[in-house]
Amino acid sequence: MPEIREIPSSETYAVRHPVLRPGRPVETCRFDGDDLSSTTHFGLYETGELAAVASLFQSKHPAFPDHRQFQLRGMAVLEDYQGQKFGQILIEAIEDKARRAAAEVVWFNAREVATGFYEKMGYKLTGKPFQIGEIGTHYVMFKRM
Ligand SMILES: CC(C)(COP(=O)(O)OP(=O)(O)OC[C@H]1O[C@@H](n2cnc3c(N)ncnc32)[C@H](O)[C@@H]1OP(=O)(O)O)[C@@H](O)C(=O)NCCC(=O)NCCS
């Protein structure tokens, strides 16, 4: 069974880099707010190896009226480990943490290619598609906790 641990931001880069920023400088894996005390990073370990990461930031989006909002960022499963439910297990851990932190809504900017995954996890699309730099088309998605 995979094991989930809270990890420092620096340990997420080994997965963020090849999956989310391939071919780009490793500094592009650092996100504003990574080291705030209100941010939590999760690592999923399979037989002792880091296979997937995701991070939860306390952050508000103007589309939602709620006071307690959390943003999912840096969701990434190493290619060799994709399709083994590790993404789903990480989302469940993130939601558990968010609920314990009294979150009313979890939202994020989803890559177009990943929206089907998040819909399976019960997230809904809102608003119009938009571009993020070189990464491409994104949609805001959310779930009420
Ligand atoms: C998208 C990602 C996080 C999904 O994680 P994963 O571990 O591969 O997915 P899981 O095995 O947990 O999939 C759970 C379900 O979602 C489905 N699914 C997975 N990826 C999907 C996708 N891109 N589109 C539609 N459905 C998808 C699976 O088929 C599975 O469905 P099932 O329950 O009916 O069998 C992962 O593949 C990834 O890191 N991709 C590249 C980076 C990326 O796009 N990150 C998201 C940035 S917003």
Side-chain angles (χ1 to χ4, degrees):
M1 273 298 284
E3 187 196 338
I4 293 192
R5 293 182 215 149
E6 292 189 11
I7 57 174
S9 61
S10 56
E11 288 185 26
T12 66
Y13 304 160
V15 180
R16 282 185 185 172
H17 194 214
V19 180
L20 299 174
R21 301 285 186 274
R24 297 180 59 201
V26 72
E27 302 79 65
T28 61
C29 295
R30 261 182 82 79
F31 301 159
D32 282 349
D34 258 350
D35 295 319
L36 291 175
S37 59
S38 53
T39 299
T40 313
H41 305 281
F42 297 85
L44 180 149
Y45 292 80
E46 172 68 354
T47 56
E49 299 290 325
L50 183 63
V53 298
S55 304
L56 191 64
F57 290 66
Q58 198 172 348
S59 172
K60 282 192 177 184
H61 189 287
F64 308 108
D66 311 86
H67 180 61
R68 296 282 294 173
Q69 300 186 26
F70 287 82
Q71 180 183 8
L72 170 66
R73 296 194 70 187
M75 172 89 203
V77 181
L78 285 175
E79 197 172 352
D80 287 350
Y81 293 98
Q82 290 176 10
Q84 298 180 46
K85 300 279 191 262
F86 292 167
Q88 179 175 334
I89 292 167
L90 262 180
I91 288 276
E92 287 164 358
I94 289 269
E95 291 179 357
D96 187 51
K97 179 81 177 184
R99 288 194 183 97
R100 280 184 281 118
E104 294 164 278
V105 67
V106 170
W107 68 273
F108 47 88
N109 299 320
R111 294 178 179 206
E112 192 165 30
V113 290
T115 56
F117 164 72
Y118 293 119
E119 281 175 331
K120 284 214 155 147
M121 302 300 116
Y123 287 80
K124 295 205 176 346
L125 295 159
T126 185
K128 295 201 171 108
F130 58 96
Q131 298 296 317
I132 298 184
E134 299 168 19
I135 304 168
T137 305
H138 285 71
Y139 290 82
V140 173
M141 296 188 80
F142 71 98
K143 190 197 264 190
R144 301 216 156 270
M145 292 293 110

